[in-house]
Amino acid sequence: MNPPDPGPERARAEDPRTARTKARLRESLLAECASGREPAEVGVSAVVRRAGVGRATFYLHYEDLTALAVDACAEVVHAAVDALHAWQTGPGSLAPLRPPAALAEYLASVAGHAALYRSLLLQGGGGPLGERLHRELAERARAERSAVGAPHAELVASAVAGTFTGILADWLHGLLPDTDPGVLADRIWALLLALHRALPPTA
């Protein structure tokens, strides 16, 4: 079982040396996976050797490679949330018909580490990365609909998060047509807009 995400207070209180060590381990794993290998094919030995730390230090911070991988991929979750909301200029902003450029850029970036993400984001959107992505996207969508008084905030937020997470997962696993990031961004955006507009705010 992966450890729960640290809260903001804990994150701020983290010892600088610990933060630097964990950052080196995250960077090491991503570098080892850059050639297309998944975490299970890399091994702890390769990660600690590249990071310049001992195995004992690794296990002091992470229980296994999966825990490290989820931590290393945390930024991709935040990037997804930001990319889907990059169009916002203030409370109550109206979503444009075309996706923000950040969405296609995000998809292209994810494709560059597809092997790593596939190991954590299973087909259909499951897995530790899928759960985290779904949770953070749903929280953002729910908060935004609630802020403008849109109905069924929980329902629409779940649908939006599930749609994006599932499509991203199936695309990375090659289950969707060979679509480039720009085209996929357009199609995802159209689907998400349709979900939000299916249950508009009441007059």
Side-chain angles (χ1 to χ4, degrees):
M1 179 179 298
N2 294 324
D5 294 339
E9 294 298 331
R10 179 180 170 186
R12 284 196 292 269
E14 187 173 51
D15 183 274
R17 290 173 298 179
T18 296
R20 287 194 295 270
T21 298
K22 292 172 73 173
R24 287 203 303 271
L25 288 168
R26 291 193 298 268
E27 292 166 2
S28 176
L29 177 63
L30 291 175
E32 289 291 332
C33 293
S35 62
R37 291 185 296 168
E38 297 182 2
E41 300 172 320
V42 172
V44 172
S45 296
V47 171
V48 298
R49 182 168 55 251
R50 180 183 286 270
V53 302
R55 290 178 68 91
T57 299
F58 173 90
Y59 287 110
L60 179 64
H61 301 298
Y62 299 103
E63 62 181 33
D64 54 26
L65 276 176
T66 297
L68 170 60
V70 171
D71 192 21
C73 293
E75 187 58 34
V76 81
V77 173
H78 303 319
V81 176
D82 290 343
L84 286 172
H85 299 86
W87 53 272
Q88 292 179 325
T89 57
S93 301
L94 295 178
L97 295 178
R98 296 296 304 278
L103 181 55
E105 293 168 1
Y106 167 79
L107 294 172
S109 175
V110 169
H113 288 97
L116 172 60
Y117 299 142
R118 277 196 300 267
S119 70
L120 302 169
L121 181 58
L122 307 182
Q123 295 178 15
L129 182 56
E131 293 170 3
R132 184 168 185 166
L133 179 58
H134 186 283
R135 181 174 66 251
E136 294 197 19
L137 286 173
E139 287 174 355
R140 180 73 172 265
R142 180 171 56 250
E144 290 176 349
R145 285 186 69 86
S146 297
V148 298
H152 309 292
E154 295 281 352
L155 177 62
V156 175
S158 178
V160 166
T163 297
F164 181 82
T165 304
I167 290 175
L168 178 63
D170 287 353
W171 179 60
L172 289 175
H173 282 276
L175 300 179
L176 300 180
D178 186 15
T179 306
D180 70 51
V183 174
L184 184 62
D186 286 341
R187 294 174 181 173
I188 289 175
W189 192 251
L191 288 170
L192 299 186
L193 285 182
L195 288 171
H196 276 290
R197 293 170 177 170
L199 298 171
T202 55

